[in-house]
Amino acid sequence: MTRDLQSWVKECVELAQPEKVSWCDGSATEYKELVRGMLKDGSLIELNPATYPNCFLHRSNPNDVARTEQLTFVCTTNKDDAGPNNNWMSPDAAKQKMKLLFRGSMRGRTMYVIPYIMGPVGSPYSKVGVEITDSPYVAASMHIMTRVGTVALDQYTRDREFVPGLHSLGDCSPDRRLIVHLPEERSIWSFGSGYGGNALLGKKCFALRIASFMARHEGWLAEHMLIMGLEDPSGEVTYMAVAFPSASGKTNLAMMVSSLGEKGYKVWTVGDDIAWLSIDSEGRLRAINPEAGFFGVAPGTSHETNPIAMHTMEKNSIFTNVALTPSKEPWWEGFGTPPPAGLLDWHGKTWMNDGKPAAHPNSRFTSPARQCPIISRHWEDPQGVPISAIVFGSRRSDTIPLVTQAFNWEHGVFLGASMGAETTAAATGAVGVVRRDPMAMRPFCGYNMGDYFSYWLSMGKRLKKPPLVFRVNWFRKDGNGKFLWPGYGENIRVLRWILDRVRDKGKVVRTPIGLLPTPDSIDTAGLSLKPNALQDVLAFDRIGWKKEVDDIEGFFHQFSERLPVELSQEVLNLKNQLSD
Ligand code: SAT
Ligand code: MN
């Protein structure tokens, strides 16, 4: 879609009436200027320059701390094309609404025009976006999360294409907050929120919702997946793409310190949140990470659980809604040190230790990916990395085993499409309730998920050697509510089994839900597990699955004729086998 940047900016200026327009060039000087302005107006606080050089704390509006799915819309001409998985309004109604909200919304403020690239510079898979925003915090965050400025204008000059995203904080009132996507014209409008996926429009809005729609028309996939390389003792690296819902440990997995390091198994990070997957000339799936930074969940991250993330964030990072120690260092629940006296909570008030967390449960760090000590040599490879396994995972306290291999691609699509997940603090609403979250894309698929499932099935036919597909669950609990599996660095043992399977090794038992590892095929040397914990975490739970499959069937039902027959067939097969 050819689009003229200058005329779009002119239209936005006329609509939002900013006092000043500032074109971002992506330079270090510009970043410093943005920071200087925010230190002056108090929207950033400088952290301890000795321990956290060039790091800052931002406190968002307390009513604006997570993505708001109920206020997020996908606006296609036909309602059915958005599907039951999206809120919908017509593109005309959406534009009318947004224009009313944006009219004069930037009066007295600076409008930042931020050209950016999603994907490595020079990659045939990379795409240009331009975000217009009146939030310097968003502008500075885009510097970290994407490739901003001149490089993007250069690509635009060649492509003549960009995805426009217009963003304004407005008065940050939840009553006047709306995030709309027009996938058919590939544009984004976001009003009234300064937070994460609502406001950094390159991330969920472009790289997932708009990109998934574009991908379906252009023959590729935009997925909510981390990308990691697993090095074996011979030095060979096998790449995997792993989908998990928000705040379920993708960053921890992508940066895992392997507990089998001494045996020569090692992890390399390519990306922690989003993968753009394409089929190369040899019919293999290849992945690029469209982002340039990490927007990771802070609570629970420590030198114990994720030392790599701790090192990644110790310089040039922006922290949002974390607690602040008297020595001006960030702190959060699960930081690994006791809360110091005089700790300020995420509102900036002295923390009372009255049961309320000091850091917001969805508090975040924003850090450049290049600072990650285990960033892959290939993370900016224009051709991406070849993917040998796709893994779907989510939090489930029961029913779902530690790891399941799909019988084949179609069954793999079923494993992804039927995935249920316990909700997290990454979106507003209840936490810990199971909802279906196909491919971890429920909040991010920019079109009807019935069509999305069909498209996934069709990808399998176009791949010469489709990646093997797996479902994992690190979060299964015992009868006392205790995790059966230690997780974190020990998850390498599961990845190692997946690697064995990719190489046609590793023992399995065939069950109605897929291929499960035999207990002796998981390397547990040096791991102290409670008696039976391994059997229990690997077990196929026939009774639990009878309930599960009913829930899956009910969920699929809403896609009616858009649901591919292959998936109804998978449900039927499973039901039959469960009743045997
Ligand atoms: O706020 S974000 O959408 O960027 C984070 C997440 O939900 O994964
Ligand atoms: Mn995410």
Side-chain angles (χ1 to χ4, degrees):
M1 197 170 293
T2 322
R3 203 189 289 268
D4 183 58
L5 177 56
Q6 295 294 343
S7 21
W8 175 67
V9 173
K10 194 162 158 264
E11 277 166 37
C12 294
V13 170
E14 278 162 14
L15 177 63
Q17 298 166 22
E19 184 181 298
K20 217 178 111 195
V21 179
S22 168
W23 282 74
C24 294
D25 62 12
S27 64
T29 319
E30 174 177 278
Y31 186 80
K32 274 202 196 116
E33 265 312 292
L34 287 164
V35 165
R36 206 180 53 86
M38 287 187 280
L39 289 172
K40 212 165 130 208
D41 71 16
S43 53
L44 284 189
I45 297 167
E46 188 176 9
L47 297 184
N48 188 327
T51 47
Y52 286 87
N54 198 29
C55 287
F56 306 94
L57 165 65
H58 172 73
R59 296 188 183 117
S60 76
N61 191 317
N63 75 33
D64 188 25
V65 292
R67 274 183 299 102
T68 42
E69 293 177 7
Q70 71 284 9
L71 303 175
T72 303
F73 286 73
V74 167
C75 307
T76 45
T77 311
N78 297 317
K79 184 167 191 230
D80 266 358
D81 291 338
N85 47 298
N86 281 305
N87 300 314
W88 178 87
M89 62 179 123
S90 79
D92 285 345
K95 279 193 268 192
Q96 222 173 3
K97 253 196 171 122
M98 293 318 274
K99 280 184 185 160
L100 275 179
L101 289 171
F102 274 100
R103 183 143 299 139
S105 74
M106 297 189 188
R107 266 184 216 137
R109 298 184 191 170
T110 299
M111 172 193 269
Y112 300 96
V113 182
I114 313 166
Y116 62 93
I117 303 179
M118 296 312 287
V121 176
S123 168
Y125 306 121
S126 293
K127 301 215 179 271
V128 176
V130 181
E131 174 161 358
I132 286 184
T133 180
D134 55 5
S135 158
Y137 163 77
V138 167
S141 301
M142 288 296 281
H143 262 247
I144 299 177
M145 294 304 296
T146 71
R147 290 140 180 114
V148 164
T150 317
V151 280
L153 286 180
D154 289 348
Q155 186 172 333
Y156 166 70
T157 307
R158 288 192 303 274
D159 296 359
R160 307 306 299 170
E161 265 182 7
F162 69 97
V163 170
L166 178 56
H167 170 257
S168 173
L169 290 171
D171 57 5
C172 236
S173 145
D175 303 333
R176 290 158 49 77
R177 183 173 295 160
L178 208 52
I179 299 104
V180 312
H181 304 74
L182 286 86
E184 289 151 355
E185 59 174 70
R186 317 221 186 310
S187 70
I188 305 157
W189 306 64
S190 166
F191 193 88
S193 164
Y195 199 85
N198 285 347
L200 312 177
L201 302 185
K203 196 173 179 59
K204 310 296 185 180
C205 297
F206 178 5
L208 288 176
R209 297 196 193 93
I210 296 290
S212 61
F213 185 97
M214 292 169 83
R216 175 167 164 245
H217 289 272
E218 297 170 6
W220 50 286
L221 286 164
E223 296 297 325
H224 194 202
M225 292 173 172
L226 66 88
I227 309 162
M228 69 195 295
L230 178 53
E231 183 174 324
D232 73 5
S234 79
E236 194 185 328
V237 182
T238 303
Y239 294 92
M240 306 179 180
V242 189
F244 270 90
S246 301
S248 302
K250 280 207 297 300
T251 306
N252 291 335
L253 187 59
M255 296 177 196
M256 182 207 292
V257 176
S258 158
S259 71
L260 301 179
E262 276 173 22
K263 290 187 179 169
Y265 291 92
K266 192 172 168 194
V267 164
W268 297 101
T269 313
V270 180
D272 82 326
D273 195 38
I274 300 178
W276 283 1
L277 302 154
S278 304
I279 302 177
D280 68 12
S281 54
E282 288 158 53
R284 267 182 320 180
L285 200 61
R286 300 195 79 91
I288 61 160
N289 170 11
E291 301 190 280
F294 306 121
F295 184 62
V297 177
T301 312
S302 69
H303 282 288
E304 191 67 29
T305 60
N306 192 343
I308 302 292
M310 296 299 275
H311 287 305
T312 304
M313 67 175 90
E314 70 199 3
K315 54 185 182 198
N316 309 319
S317 298
I318 299 176
F319 294 82
T320 303
N321 293 341
V322 300
L324 184 64
T325 72
S327 52
K328 292 265 192 280
E329 285 166 351
W331 191 91
W332 45 77
E333 280 62 32
F335 191 87
T337 54
L343 185 69
L344 299 183
D345 69 11
W346 64 277
H347 297 282
K349 304 231 164 65
T350 304
W351 185 54
M352 303 312 271
N353 199 354
D354 57 359
K356 294 209 191 81
H360 188 277
N362 192 37
S363 53
R364 301 272 174 162
F365 59 90
T366 309
S367 304
R370 64 184 142 75
Q371 291 183 185
C372 174
I374 58 167
I375 197 79
S376 159
R377 271 191 297 134
H378 297 290
W379 87 281
E380 294 191 286
D381 192 329
Q383 298 304 326
V385 294
I387 297 295
S388 304
I390 288 178
V391 183
F392 296 112
S394 69
R395 287 173 191 273
R396 287 297 299 271
S397 308
D398 53 37
T399 315
I400 310 300
L402 182 62
V403 57
T404 312
Q405 185 190 338
F407 299 124
N408 50 43
W409 182 263
E410 277 89 66
H411 186 240
V413 174
F414 172 71
L415 286 191
S418 63
M419 187 161 78
E422 285 157 23
T423 51
T424 68
T428 52
V431 169
V433 275
V434 176
R435 65 169 189 179
R436 294 295 128 194
D437 190 352
M439 279 84 170
M441 280 289 277
R442 178 183 177 133
F444 308 121
C445 181
Y447 60 101
N448 189 314
M449 272 202 146
D451 298 338
Y452 173 72
F453 301 150
S454 302
Y455 182 56
W456 259 85
L457 290 165
S458 75
M459 282 299 273
K461 300 202 177 79
R462 289 172 51 216
L463 287 162
K464 268 219 185 82
K465 193 168 175 268
L468 299 186
V469 183
F470 299 84
R471 167 81 166 93
V472 297
N473 176 26
W474 325 129
F475 303 94
R476 201 173 188 178
K477 292 179 178 168
D478 66 13
N480 299 318
K482 293 266 177 318
F483 288 115
L484 285 162
W485 181 252
Y488 297 108
E490 304 298 352
N491 291 334
I492 192 77
R493 299 170 191 271
V494 177
L495 299 183
R496 185 179 164 187
W497 182 81
I498 290 176
L499 183 61
D500 282 347
R501 297 301 298 155
V502 166
R503 299 197 173 148
D504 250 339
K505 295 190 302 207
K507 285 191 282 175
V508 298
V509 274
R510 204 183 162 89
T511 75
I513 58 168
L515 306 172
L516 306 186
T518 57
D520 65 336
S521 66
I522 302 268
D523 178 356
T524 51
L527 188 62
S528 64
L529 289 175
K530 288 209 198 95
N532 292 329
L534 185 63
Q535 281 84 337
D536 290 350
V537 79
L538 294 177
F540 160 50
D541 167 11
R542 187 178 293 267
I543 303 192
W545 266 95
K546 283 192 177 167
K547 211 169 130 244
E548 187 76 8
V549 78
D550 285 342
D551 200 57
I552 293 168
E553 194 175 31
F555 175 73
F556 279 174
H557 188 71
Q558 63 184 318
F559 298 103
S560 52
E561 73 278 6
R562 299 243 187 173
L563 184 76
V565 285
E566 289 90 336
L567 293 192
S568 331
Q569 197 53 53
E570 292 287 348
V571 172
L572 272 183
N573 287 350
L574 182 53
K575 281 188 115 174
N576 286 338
Q577 290 187 57
L578 288 172
S579 61
D580 284 352

